[in-house]
Amino acid sequence: MARRLLGPQNAAAVFQAQNDSDAQDSPQHNSEHARLQVPASQVRSRSSSRGDVNDQDAIQEKFYPPRFLQVPENMSIEEGRFCRMDFKVSGLPAPDVSWYLNGRPVQSDDLHKMIVSEKGFHSLIFEVVRTSDAGAYACVAKNRAGEATFTVQLDVLAKEHKRAPMFIYKPQSKKVFEGDSVKLECQISAIPPPKLFWKRNNEMVQFNTDRISLYHDNAGRVTLLIKDVNKKDAGWYTVSAVNEAGVTTCNTRLDVTAHQKQTLPAPKQLRVRPTFSKYLALNGKGLNVKQAFNPEGEFQRLAAQSGLYESDEL
């Protein structure tokens, strides 16, 4: 009855005292008991280690299928540019991720890289997008508990070939009179089509007025039309063509002169030589038909004016 009230620690002390007294009485019996005694700490450790193994087995048995928490949207990328597809996936154990392009596996190489970061973030990187990269991409995540899939469309836009502007023919210098119209014409080749700037003596030319207009077509022909030219329109004209690939410039000269007043020379007085023709008689007033058919009277009149006389020797 006393042992029940002592508790486990006091009871152990009582048993230990009894054992010591027994050992003094019989040393041989004490040695045999020491060989058979097992330390209580090892027993606890063995039981505790067995419990840890059971706990680990219970944790490993908990699997969670993959689940995409973030997926990319469909993309349209210009050829030759950089592209990146980012997504986030969860699952236990951590799922393995694979990419497929139109049903074919995507392999990592110099232009395609698959990156895995912490907390389930993954990326598919295109260092330089090519036309062959276009298509439907499927991303598959797998683990022991299952798999998950998402698809994304990548459209590759053909790279626009660019060429700096260049003159096929340049505007020519011209000289015109006041009040006339003049055209300064040129043709420019460029991809994409350039923006045009006209200057007169380093000042921008104002278009879409009653006098000055600018025309151009798809072939690159450009015409600067100036109507009713005056002295202010004279000077150095500069045309510049600019696009993303470069710029080109050309200068031309326009000279404007005034009209000169031309006076008509006075008409010369017609001097008619005397004639003795029996067919015609001309004077400053025109043709005298009567005298043409009566030459004898005219002959006598002309003879008197000239001082001629009829010789008897003829």
Side-chain angles (χ1 to χ4, degrees), residues 194-209:
K195 294 182 179 179
L196 302 175
F197 303 92
W198 283 85
K199 291 183 179 182
R200 179 181 62 246
N201 299 329
N202 293 327
E203 294 183 0
M204 295 298 298
V205 177
Q206 300 297 326
F207 304 121
N208 299 325
T209 64

Side-chain angles (χ1 to χ4, degrees), residues 29-84:
H29 179 75
N30 187 23
S31 61
E32 292 178 357
H33 179 75
R35 288 196 301 267
L36 295 175
Q37 185 178 2
V38 178
S41 61
Q42 294 183 7
V43 174
R44 288 196 298 270
S45 64
R46 186 182 296 113
S47 61
S48 62
S49 63
R50 187 180 296 108
D52 294 341
V53 173
N54 294 332
D55 294 340
Q56 291 178 2
D57 293 340
I59 293 174
Q60 290 180 358
E61 291 177 355
K62 295 180 180 179
F63 300 136
Y64 298 97
R67 185 167 65 95
F68 289 105
L69 306 177
Q70 176 183 335
V71 296
E73 297 180 353
N74 295 337
M75 300 182 179
S76 296
I77 305 296
E78 185 179 357
E79 180 184 4
R81 293 188 175 273
F82 175 86
C83 179
R84 179 171 182 158

Side-chain angles (χ1 to χ4, degrees), residues 5 43 58 72 93 108 132 141 144 162 174 176 179 188 222 253 272 286 303 311:
L5 299 174
V43 174
S108 296
S132 58
R144 296 179 184 179
K162 299 177 182 179
K174 293 186 177 182
V176 297
I188 302 172
V222 182
R253 177 76 184 178
V272 180
S311 175

Side-chain angles (χ1 to χ4, degrees), residues 207-228:
F207 304 121
N208 299 325
T209 64
D210 295 338
R211 293 194 317 110
I212 303 176
S213 303
L214 180 65
Y215 302 94
H216 58 86
D217 58 17
N218 295 331
R221 288 185 289 265
V222 182
T223 301
L224 178 63
L225 174 62
I226 305 176
K227 299 178 181 179
D228 193 16

Side-chain angles (χ1 to χ4, degrees), residues 122-138:
H122 295 249
S123 299
L124 175 60
I125 293 179
F126 302 80
E127 295 290 346
V128 178
V129 176
R130 300 174 298 180
T131 55
S132 58
D133 294 326
Y137 284 81

Side-chain angles (χ1 to χ4, degrees), residues 239-295:
V239 54
S240 300
V242 182
N243 69 1
E244 298 175 3
V247 58
T248 186
T249 302
C250 180
N251 298 320
T252 187
R253 177 76 184 178
L254 176 63
D255 293 319
V256 180
T257 59
H259 282 287
Q260 296 180 356
K261 295 182 179 180
Q262 297 181 354
T263 57
L264 297 176
K268 295 182 178 180
Q269 187 177 2
L270 181 62
R271 298 181 64 182
V272 180
R273 296 178 60 185
T275 178
F276 301 98
S277 172
K278 64 180 180 179
Y279 300 104
L280 294 176
L282 297 177
N283 54 28
K285 298 179 180 180
L287 175 64
N288 190 335
V289 179
K290 182 178 180 180
Q291 293 180 359
F293 289 93
N294 187 16

